[in-house]
Amino acid sequence: MSAYGSFPGSRPRRLRTTPAMRRMVAENRLHPSDLILPAFVREGISEPLAISAMPGVVQHTRDTLRKAAVEAARAGVAGIMLFGVPADENKDALGTAGTEPDGILQVAIREVKAEVGDDLVIMSDLCLDEYTDHGHCGVLDEHGRVDNDATLERYAEMAQVQADAGVHVVGPSGMMDGQVGVIRDALDETGHEDVSILAYTAKYSSAFYGPFREAVASSLQGDRKTYQQDPANARESLRELALDLEEGADMVMVKPAGPYLDILYRVAQAVDVPVAAYQISGEFAMIEAAAEKGWIERDRAILETLLGIKRAGADTILTYWATEVAGWLREAR
C-alpha cells in the first residue's frame, strides 16, 4: 500500500483497460452516415484521370462517377458532393457552362440520380470558379474585381438548373454576400421548395486548397482573399453564420476542417441546424504523403482526424476517404 493510503483515489485509466471498455465509454463515434464523398466529373474524357496531389482520387468519367456513387451508397455514405470540370474550350468569363442544362455538372446530377435515386443525398457545388476562364468564383467588373451582385444573378440561374437536374442539396461555395437568400428565392420561385441549401458559411482563404485546383483544372490567377474569409478572424464567422441562417440556410459548413476546429466548435455551439465540415484536399494530401513516406500510420491518422472533426461539433464530414472509411466502420461493427 502506498504511504498516501489509497492515493490516487480516482483512476481514469480504469476506463481504458480493454478495447471493449474503451468502446463502451467512447464519447464520440464515427458512422458511415456521417460522411459525404466529394467527387469530380470531367467533360470529354473516356478514362478517369488521376490527380497527382491526391493519391487515389480521380477526375471521373460519367460512367465511373455513377459507379463511385453506387459504391458510396452501398457503403452507407450519406451523400455525394459533385463538382463539374468542363473542357477548357467551354470556359468563358461568365461561366456559362455552369448554367447550361446540358453542362457537365447538370448531366452528372441527372445520371447519378438515375443510378442511385434517393439512396444517396446528391449535392452539387454551386459556384462559378470551375467554369470561368479567369478561375474566380464570380463575374468580374471592369476593374477585374469580383462583382458580388452580378454574381448573385448567375448563382440564381445555377440553382435553378441544378435543381431541375434533380439535385437534393445545393452547396453555394463562392462566399458572396447574400448568396443564400438569392438562391433560396430562386429555388422557391421555380417550384424547388424541397431542395436544401448547405451554406458554406465559414470558408477561409487557405493554403490547403492547392490540390483541389488541380482536381478542378482551375484557371485561377491570383487569389480569393477579397471574398473568402481571413484566417486571422474568428468572430467574423459568427457574423456570416447569422446572415446565412437569416437568409434560409438549412445546413451550414466550416471549410477547411482541421485548421479551423475552433471555428467549427463555435459554430456548432451556436446553431440548431446540422453542421458540416469539409476535410479539404490539402488535409488529405498531407496524410497520404506522410503515410507514403512511412512517417505516420495512414489508417489511424485518417480516423483520428475525422474523429477530431466530429468531436469539435460536425454532424457530417466531407472527406475524400468517405467510401473507404465507411467500409472500415461497417467491418468493425
Side-chain angles (χ1 to χ4, degrees), residues 50-100:
I51 300 167
S52 63
M54 300 176 69
V57 180
V58 301
Q59 292 176 333
H60 283 287
T61 68
R62 289 160 53 185
D63 286 341
T64 62
L65 177 67
R66 290 197 297 269
K67 292 175 184 176
V70 169
E71 290 173 2
R74 288 176 177 167
V77 169
I80 187 167
M81 174 65 81
L82 301 178
F83 295 86
V85 184
D88 287 344
E89 60 269 21
N90 290 332
K91 295 182 180 183
D92 60 27
L94 297 177
T96 53
T99 51
E100 292 175 354

Side-chain angles (χ1 to χ4, degrees), residues 187-209:
L187 291 170
D188 292 350
E189 290 169 4
T190 56
H192 296 298
E193 297 90 349
D194 290 339
V195 174
S196 300
I197 298 175
L198 170 58
Y200 282 60
T201 290
K203 182 179 180 182
Y204 282 85
S205 179
S206 173
F208 293 96
Y209 293 132

Side-chain angles (χ1 to χ4, degrees), residues 42-271:
R42 182 159 187 161
E43 184 177 26
I45 59 173
S46 58
E47 297 291 337
L49 299 179
I51 300 167
S52 63
M54 300 176 69
V57 180
V58 301
Q59 292 176 333
H60 283 287
T61 68
R62 289 160 53 185
D63 286 341
T64 62
L65 177 67
R66 290 197 297 269
K67 292 175 184 176
V70 169
E71 290 173 2
R74 288 176 177 167
V77 169
I80 187 167
M81 174 65 81
L82 301 178
F83 295 86
V85 184
D88 287 344
E89 60 269 21
N90 290 332
K91 295 182 180 183
D92 60 27
L94 297 177
T96 53
T99 51
E100 292 175 354
D102 291 327
I104 183 60
L105 181 55
Q106 286 69 254
V107 170
I109 292 168
R110 288 196 294 271
E111 293 183 344
V112 170
K113 184 73 175 287
E115 194 73 38
V116 299
D118 295 333
D119 291 342
L120 197 63
V121 178
I122 302 169
M123 304 177 171
S124 55
D125 180 59
L126 199 163
C127 195
L128 288 172
D129 60 320
E130 297 99 324
Y131 308 100
T132 54
D133 53 14
H134 48 73
H136 278 286
C137 297
V139 178
L140 302 185
D141 64 18
E142 64 272 20
H143 304 292
R145 298 173 299 197
V146 174
D147 185 325
N148 190 94
D149 296 359
T151 299
L152 294 182
E153 295 179 18
R154 300 287 294 123
Y155 286 2
E157 296 175 48
M158 292 189 81
Q160 180 178 344
V161 296
Q162 292 177 4
D164 287 345
V167 78
H168 297 111
V169 180
V170 294
S173 60
M175 290 300 288
M176 297 297 120
D177 295 338
Q179 62 185 17
V180 172
V182 166
I183 290 167
R184 182 72 272 159
D185 286 346
L187 291 170
D188 292 350
E189 290 169 4
T190 56
H192 296 298
E193 297 90 349
D194 290 339
V195 174
S196 300
I197 298 175
L198 170 58
Y200 282 60
T201 290
K203 182 179 180 182
Y204 282 85
S205 179
S206 173
F208 293 96
Y209 293 132
F212 179 87
R213 291 177 183 167
E214 178 190 350
V216 297
S218 174
S219 303
L220 180 66
Q221 300 294 318
D223 59 51
R224 298 179 175 133
K225 292 180 180 179
T226 61
Y227 46 102
Q228 293 178 351
Q229 281 185 243
D230 185 341
N233 294 347
R235 289 193 302 268
E236 183 182 29
S237 64
L238 298 182
R239 184 183 183 195
E240 294 276 7
L241 174 65
L243 291 168
D244 283 350
L245 293 175
E246 182 181 345
E247 292 172 23
D250 299 289
M251 299 172 277
V252 296
M253 185 197 292
V254 174
K255 180 182 181 180
Y260 296 92
L261 294 180
D262 61 321
I263 306 301
L264 176 58
Y265 179 80
R266 290 189 188 202
V267 168
Q269 292 296 304
V271 300

Side-chain angles (χ1 to χ4, degrees), residues 4-12 14:
Y4 298 99
S6 61
F7 177 85
S10 180
R11 294 181 182 269
R14 294 184 186 120

Side-chain angles (χ1 to χ4, degrees), residues 20-33:
M21 179 69 79
R22 294 191 293 274
R23 285 195 301 272
M24 186 179 75
V25 302
E27 297 174 31
N28 293 279
R29 290 181 173 83
L30 289 170
H31 188 274
S33 62

Side-chain angles (χ1 to χ4, degrees), residues 239-315:
R239 184 183 183 195
E240 294 276 7
L241 174 65
L243 291 168
D244 283 350
L245 293 175
E246 182 181 345
E247 292 172 23
D250 299 289
M251 299 172 277
V252 296
M253 185 197 292
V254 174
K255 180 182 181 180
Y260 296 92
L261 294 180
D262 61 321
I263 306 301
L264 176 58
Y265 179 80
R266 290 189 188 202
V267 168
Q269 292 296 304
V271 300
D272 57 3
V273 299
V275 177
Y278 197 145
Q279 185 181 53
I280 67 170
S281 59
E283 299 175 72
F284 174 95
M286 287 192 301
I287 289 177
E288 290 287 356
E292 192 273 332
K293 290 284 190 180
W295 294 338
I296 60 173
E297 294 181 48
R298 176 184 181 273
D299 296 1
R300 286 186 60 195
I302 291 170
L303 288 172
E304 187 174 337
T305 56
L306 292 172
L307 192 59
I309 296 166
K310 181 78 181 287
R311 189 181 64 243
D315 299 297

